[in-house]
Amino acid sequence: MVRAAVLPAVGAPLEITGIELPAPGPGQVRVRLAAAGVCHSDLSLSNGTMRLPVPAVLGHEGAGTVVSAGEGVTHVAPGDGVVLNWAPSCGRCHHCSIGEVWLCADALTGAGRVHAVTEDGTELHPGLNVAAFAEETVVPANCVLPVPDGVPLTDAALLGCAVLTGYGAVHHCAQVREGESVVVFGVGGVGLATLQSARIAGAAAVIAVDISPEKEELARRAGATEYVVASDLTAKEIRRLTDGRGADVAIECVGRAATIRTAWDSTRRGGRTTVVGIGGKDQQVMFNALELFHWGRTLSGCVYGNSNPAEDLPVLAEHIRAGRLDLGALVTERIGIEGIPAAFDTMLAGRGGRALVVF
Ligand code: APR
Ligand code: ZN
Ligand code: ZN
């Protein structure tokens, strides 16, 4: 038995309970978690904004140590530190074959498998594949990547979602160039990683926008050169801060129609908007045909930072070792597994950066 945070049903509170994991089968790995970040997507799964099979063990941003490996696993061995990758790629589908591994057709098929059982025999699914809100987990081998040298295991948890996503949003999706102006909407864990990545890209102006005035210090520590408290005048304020033109790039890390629309409005003619936030189907964004022509802007989605984790982790490690990427600066709270429901409440109230469960 290991302790885990289980979502019994959509809309129900999380239960911290004992679960029984099977021994790793062929091609699977058992991992003892060192740490797991509490991401807004876990909250979105619990309240039904995003849907996956339940009951489930949540948690998708984690790192730990390999305890045992099933037959045929060769890239990691017991004792190795690993980052959990919630979006594994099969290497065979159309998207994998053209190098778009983040869009792998099979990425979430594993979410339907039976992952563990509770004491009373209830079968549990693995949330976003990796079920990281637990002392231990059993995952397919392509859901683990070796922790790069020089990265502490607890910090490495953040690489698995916030950092790959934020870094990828800047480098792969928006392709920020040196000297550009970048505005980031939403200063949570993902937004903070995005701000740091904009700084790494050499952006001249990095503007953070959040509905909460409390996030200014966190945002500035992550590289924001300006801080704007969101209001009806946000787009106007951003134009004022960018020579009246609007930012070259906007990155939305909230997942709401209104912030997506404001992000787009905040860019210059020809500007790029990347949407990282994940919203529900009720979040309808409207554009009129004439403004699409007039402004000549682009709007793009972004899945897991459009990253290839196996290629990007060594690059991120280099930035960490050089002191350009500070994983510790994302974490505002270290909690035990029983602290996850309260961390959801903190997130809903728009406070804090990343809460990190330390096992
Ligand atoms: N305008 C600006 N900021 C807002 C607004 C708004 N209208 N509404 C909420 N925010 C801010 C919150 O105050 C908070 O600081 O957005 C931030 C979101 O941060 P978190 O809740 O910590 O979320 P995070 O884990 O960073 O994820 C951000 O990316 O992967 C997706 O599903 C995830 O949609 C979520 C987004
Ligand atoms: Zn996440
Ligand atoms: Zn694939």
Side-chain angles (χ1 to χ4, degrees):
M1 280 281 175
V2 297
R3 289 208 306 156
V6 172
L7 177 70
V10 170
L14 290 190
E15 284 173 9
I16 313 300
T17 183
I19 63 166
E20 195 72 62
L21 291 162
Q28 290 187 325
V29 178
R30 183 166 180 139
V31 176
R32 179 172 303 129
L33 272 292
V38 182
C39 176
H40 204 106
S41 300
D42 295 307
L43 178 58
S44 296
L45 285 169
S46 77
N47 65 23
T49 301
M50 292 165 73
R51 294 271 181 168
L52 281 174
V54 288
V57 178
L58 297 187
H60 63 277
E61 182 181 88
T65 307
V66 175
V67 179
S68 52
E71 212 184 293
V73 176
T74 52
H75 76 303
V76 291
D80 287 356
V82 289
V83 179
L84 297 179
N85 169 20
W86 62 261
S89 48
C90 72
R92 292 178 306 271
C93 72
H94 174 72
H95 288 286
C96 285
S97 74
I98 60 170
E100 296 177 353
V101 294
W102 56 93
L103 298 179
C104 175
D106 269 347
L108 285 176
T109 46
R113 72 187 161 94
V114 175
H115 167 71
V117 290
T118 61
E119 239 160 331
D120 64 11
T122 308
E123 293 185 334
L124 303 173
H125 299 288
L128 272 169
N129 280 321
V130 294
F133 288 165
E135 290 163 331
E136 295 191 17
T137 187
V138 174
V139 296
N142 60 356
C143 286
V144 299
L145 293 155
V147 173
D149 287 342
V151 182
L153 199 53
T154 42
D155 286 1
L158 300 161
L159 295 172
C161 185
V163 179
L164 272 173
T165 301
Y167 181 83
V170 168
H171 289 264
H172 302 310
C173 304
Q175 300 184 2
V176 174
R177 295 181 289 266
E178 202 176 330
E180 286 194 311
S181 51
V182 178
V183 52
V184 177
F185 287 77
V187 184
V190 176
L192 287 168
T194 305
L195 289 167
Q196 287 201 31
S197 301
R199 176 171 64 187
I200 290 171
V206 180
I207 307 165
V209 180
D210 201 285
I211 202 162
S212 160
E214 285 175 31
K215 306 247 180 166
E216 178 163 0
E217 200 195 316
L218 269 176
R220 288 195 186 271
R221 231 192 317 143
T225 56
E226 309 283 349
Y227 189 81
V228 175
V229 178
S231 73
D232 292 347
L233 300 174
T234 300
K236 203 172 162 195
E237 176 64 7
I238 288 161
R239 271 196 297 281
R240 190 185 70 77
L241 294 169
T242 50
D243 297 328
R245 271 194 308 275
D248 296 308
V249 168
I251 302 181
E252 202 269 1
C253 305
V254 181
R256 300 185 63 85
T259 41
I260 292 168
R261 177 67 221 208
T262 307
W264 193 82
D265 285 333
S266 300
T267 57
R268 63 167 170 84
R269 277 188 95 179
R272 290 109 67 199
T273 299
T274 293
V275 180
V276 172
I278 305 170
K281 289 181 180 167
D282 59 328
Q283 298 296 310
Q284 296 277 347
V285 194
M286 297 246 293
F287 300 94
N288 72 55
L290 188 61
E291 67 185 351
L292 290 175
F293 161 75
H294 171 77
W295 289 95
R297 295 161 165 155
T298 53
L299 176 71
S300 47
C302 179
V303 175
Y304 207 7
N306 294 11
S307 300
N308 181 334
E311 286 175 7
D312 286 352
L313 283 185
V315 176
L316 292 173
E318 197 45 52
H319 288 306
I320 293 166
R321 285 191 293 263
R324 291 183 291 265
L325 185 60
D326 178 4
L327 300 183
L330 304 185
V331 178
T332 47
E333 208 186 355
R334 284 170 194 266
I335 58 175
I337 194 168
E338 65 291 333
I340 297 171
F344 277 0
D345 293 341
T346 305
M347 207 174 243
L348 273 173
R351 296 199 313 271
R354 225 6 154 226
L356 188 68
V357 182
V358 180
F359 292 93

